[in-house]
Amino acid sequence: MDNIVEAAREYIAGLFRGNAGGHDAAHTLRVYHSAILIAEKEKSGDPETVALAALLHDADDHKLFHTENNRNARSFLASHGVDAEKTERIIAAVNSVSFSRNRGKRPYTIEGKIVQDADRLDAIGAVGIARTFAYGGEHGRGPDDSIAHFHEKLLLLKDEMNTDTAKAMAEERHAFMLAFLKEYARETGG
Ligand code: NI
């Protein structure tokens, strides 16, 4: 398992080179580490499927890459000899991650649930705050505009977690965001 996981880490480092926004290699690595942690604590999911789905979950992100049918992820898996059944399981998990495409829908595999949780955890807490302002700045939005994004999306995420482990992690990160918003409002007189 270690070889292909290591190869996937190198693959995404190359793929995301030059992308400094919210979806970069560092985001993917955080999702990978959280996904592994959740799988271990939940004692469920095939570890290699979880690891590869987490590492490849943004490899075909439509905001960054103009690929269809998960071409980047599939070509990586094919070039490393992953069989058809496992490939489909990994791709199913990858495709359950997108927030906009999957709002309100639950992934139907445990690996999909775990990787979706890990990706959503990375959108909240201290990292979520940092990513929100980085993304807003990149798109010409000031701090007050980015604050709206917390209410439209980020504060809803803790109730969308699939696993108990992610729910507990999300509660802490949620509380941190609320404290941040309260202080921001206080300092801005809002
Ligand atoms: Ni992601």
Side-chain angles (χ1 to χ4, degrees):
M1 156 167 171
D2 287 354
N3 277 344
I4 188 170
V5 170
E6 199 44 51
R9 291 173 62 139
E10 280 169 29
Y11 173 70
I12 60 109
L15 196 62
F16 288 102
R17 199 157 285 139
N19 280 305
H23 284 261
D24 55 10
H27 160 69
T28 288
L29 284 180
R30 288 191 303 268
V31 171
Y32 162 70
H33 289 298
S34 294
I36 294 290
L37 183 87
I38 295 166
E40 277 172 8
K41 289 208 172 176
E42 295 282 316
K43 294 184 178 55
S44 59
D46 170 55
E48 190 172 82
T49 301
V50 168
L52 291 174
L55 287 169
L56 295 170
H57 86 275
D58 275 338
D60 292 280
D61 185 286
H62 65 91
K63 291 193 254 5
L64 298 176
F65 309 109
H66 300 282
T67 53
E68 282 188 23
N69 193 26
N70 306 91
R71 196 181 70 223
N72 286 341
R74 285 181 186 280
S75 65
F76 172 84
L77 295 169
S79 69
H80 288 81
V82 176
D83 69 36
E85 193 188 327
K86 186 148 192 169
T87 295
E88 292 315 316
R89 200 163 172 93
I90 293 166
I91 295 296
V94 164
N95 287 343
S96 43
V97 173
S98 165
F99 183 82
S100 52
R101 274 190 292 165
N102 295 291
R103 188 84 196 272
K105 277 191 255 167
R106 298 285 180 192
Y108 57 91
T109 66
I110 182 62
E111 292 89 359
K113 289 178 178 149
I114 290 169
V115 178
Q116 187 186 65
D117 279 356
D119 190 56
R120 288 175 173 177
L121 281 170
D122 205 55
I124 60 178
V127 168
I129 293 169
R131 288 178 73 202
T132 298
F133 289 108
Y135 185 87
E138 226 180 9
H139 292 81
R141 289 198 283 274
D144 287 343
D145 294 328
S146 289
I147 288 290
H149 186 63
F150 286 86
H151 299 281
E152 288 155 10
K153 176 174 170 183
L154 305 186
L155 294 176
L156 310 177
L157 286 178
K158 81 168 170 50
D159 294 325
E160 306 225 7
M161 299 294 160
N162 304 294
T163 64
D164 289 342
T165 302
K167 277 176 197 157
M169 292 166 78
E171 286 292 347
E172 285 179 26
R173 296 182 187 207
H174 185 84
F176 185 81
M177 287 194 298
L178 288 181
F180 168 78
L181 289 170
K182 194 174 166 197
E183 176 64 11
Y184 186 90
R186 194 182 69 82
E187 292 179 20
T188 56

